[in-house]
Amino acid sequence: MTSADSETHLPEQTESEDVGPVSVTESRVSQTGTWLRLATFLLLVGIISLAYFNFRDVLTLKYLATQETNWRLFSEQHPIAIYLIAFLIYTSITGLSLPGAVPLTLTYGWFFGFWKGLLLVSFSSTAGATLAFLMSRYLFRSAIQSRYGERFAVINQQFEKEGAFYLFILRLVPAFPFFLINVLMGLTTIRAWTFWWVSQIGMLAGTAVFIYAGTSVPTLQELSEQGAKGILTPQLIIAFILLGTFPLLIKKIVNRIQSRS
């Protein structure tokens, strides 16, 4: 073998030596990330299951109605802490996607009044939604994107253009499940900041309707006994109708503006 031949083979050996360790390291990092996501997912499932089975009877109007006196007494003794506790409770429920947000919203409207209840539920529900959004993005996005990359590429392109508008429309319609929107949005490329402020604005109208419904009853006991009939006043029915038709009106206005431009 000549010196020229040995020089020709040297770069190949060096290149293979460089690529090997890097690929192995990347593979190990990928496997570690996968196991970490799986462990986090199992932990969340355990927490959600434990919270559901322990508090499923607590987050009902029937139970909350039995705590009217305790709520009032605690509020008098701890006028500031009651808001922090109420915020953490609502954020935890929405962040973990537990059932009970609607009766809790009605309760907050009855207990805190319209404006205080509106601010409390609005910010806590958005905080919980953002937590669920971030958990979905961390746990599922990389796996979904790698498996359905071509399909999600088209969706990501649309969301880069009109993602905020799509989210706003979904937030305006109460028929769309709250937790499902959070999970699906976590799989897209929409930014967390955009998700937060669009959700904050988009859910405000629906939150106001439910808070107003809570303020329209004198006691939780009456609301618990009468059910939906106790809050379905003509004004509230009109508000729900307007809430359902408003997204269609917004879409028509946007389409007309786009067609003119």
Side-chain angles (χ1 to χ4, degrees), residues 142-163:
S142 59
I144 296 296
Q145 294 279 2
S146 61
R147 185 167 184 177
Y148 305 101
E150 296 181 358
R151 298 180 183 178
F152 266 88
V154 179
I155 297 176
N156 289 332
Q157 290 177 358
Q158 292 296 323
F159 266 86
E160 289 176 0
K161 298 178 182 178
E162 299 183 295

Side-chain angles (χ1 to χ4, degrees), residues 65-185:
T66 64
Q67 302 299 313
E68 289 189 36
T69 304
N70 294 334
W71 278 61
R72 295 297 185 189
L73 182 61
F74 185 86
S75 177
E76 293 175 0
Q77 296 175 349
H78 308 280
I80 298 178
I82 186 67
Y83 289 96
L84 178 60
I85 293 174
F87 179 87
L88 293 176
I89 290 175
Y90 204 103
T91 301
S92 300
I93 291 172
T94 52
L96 295 175
S97 303
L98 295 174
V102 172
L104 203 59
T105 303
L106 296 172
T107 302
Y108 282 16
W110 162 81
F111 184 81
F112 295 104
F114 181 79
W115 291 110
K116 293 179 180 179
L118 179 62
L119 287 174
L120 185 60
V121 173
S122 178
F123 281 95
S124 59
S125 62
T126 306
T130 305
L131 286 177
F133 164 84
L134 292 175
M135 285 189 292
S136 172
R137 173 158 293 183
Y138 172 73
L139 293 174
F140 307 120
R141 182 184 170 187
S142 59
I144 296 296
Q145 294 279 2
S146 61
R147 185 167 184 177
Y148 305 101
E150 296 181 358
R151 298 180 183 178
F152 266 88
V154 179
I155 297 176
N156 289 332
Q157 290 177 358
Q158 292 296 323
F159 266 86
E160 289 176 0
K161 298 178 182 178
E162 299 183 295
F165 178 75
Y166 293 148
L167 177 59
F168 181 69
I169 293 297
L170 292 174
R171 289 302 191 195
L172 283 174
V173 182
F176 288 103
F178 177 82
F179 77 95
L180 189 59
I181 296 175
N182 303 331
V183 172
L184 293 179
M185 286 295 163

Side-chain angles (χ1 to χ4, degrees), residues 6-251:
S6 61
E7 291 178 358
T8 303
H9 286 81
L10 281 176
E12 295 180 2
Q13 295 174 354
T14 304
E15 184 177 356
S16 63
E17 290 176 356
D18 292 338
V19 173
V22 172
S23 61
V24 171
T25 302
E26 291 178 350
S27 177
R28 289 178 179 177
V29 170
S30 178
Q31 291 179 358
T32 302
T34 301
W35 283 110
L36 185 59
R37 290 187 180 90
L38 180 59
T40 305
F41 174 72
L42 294 176
L43 178 63
L44 284 174
V45 170
I47 294 174
I48 292 173
S49 301
L50 186 64
Y52 175 75
F53 286 108
N54 283 302
F55 299 104
R56 58 180 176 178
D57 296 328
V58 174
L59 299 175
T60 61
L61 284 174
K62 185 176 181 180
Y63 176 82
L64 293 173
T66 64
Q67 302 299 313
E68 289 189 36
T69 304
N70 294 334
W71 278 61
R72 295 297 185 189
L73 182 61
F74 185 86
S75 177
E76 293 175 0
Q77 296 175 349
H78 308 280
I80 298 178
I82 186 67
Y83 289 96
L84 178 60
I85 293 174
F87 179 87
L88 293 176
I89 290 175
Y90 204 103
T91 301
S92 300
I93 291 172
T94 52
L96 295 175
S97 303
L98 295 174
V102 172
L104 203 59
T105 303
L106 296 172
T107 302
Y108 282 16
W110 162 81
F111 184 81
F112 295 104
F114 181 79
W115 291 110
K116 293 179 180 179
L118 179 62
L119 287 174
L120 185 60
V121 173
S122 178
F123 281 95
S124 59
S125 62
T126 306
T130 305
L131 286 177
F133 164 84
L134 292 175
M135 285 189 292
S136 172
R137 173 158 293 183
Y138 172 73
L139 293 174
F140 307 120
R141 182 184 170 187
S142 59
I144 296 296
Q145 294 279 2
S146 61
R147 185 167 184 177
Y148 305 101
E150 296 181 358
R151 298 180 183 178
F152 266 88
V154 179
I155 297 176
N156 289 332
Q157 290 177 358
Q158 292 296 323
F159 266 86
E160 289 176 0
K161 298 178 182 178
E162 299 183 295
F165 178 75
Y166 293 148
L167 177 59
F168 181 69
I169 293 297
L170 292 174
R171 289 302 191 195
L172 283 174
V173 182
F176 288 103
F178 177 82
F179 77 95
L180 189 59
I181 296 175
N182 303 331
V183 172
L184 293 179
M185 286 295 163
L187 304 179
T188 67
T189 55
I190 189 170
R191 295 181 179 179
W193 166 248
T194 303
F195 177 86
W196 182 87
W197 72 260
V198 172
S199 297
Q200 187 75 55
I201 297 174
M203 294 190 296
L204 188 61
T207 301
V209 172
F210 283 102
I211 290 292
Y212 173 76
T215 61
S216 63
V217 294
T219 63
L220 285 180
Q221 187 64 38
E222 181 178 340
L223 179 59
S224 176
E225 293 174 354
Q226 296 181 1
K229 295 184 294 183
I231 62 174
L232 286 179
T233 61
Q235 295 88 345
L236 195 62
I237 294 175
I238 294 174
F240 275 115
I241 294 174
L242 292 176
L243 189 63
T245 56
F246 186 67
L248 300 177
L249 179 62
I250 292 294
K251 183 63 175 178

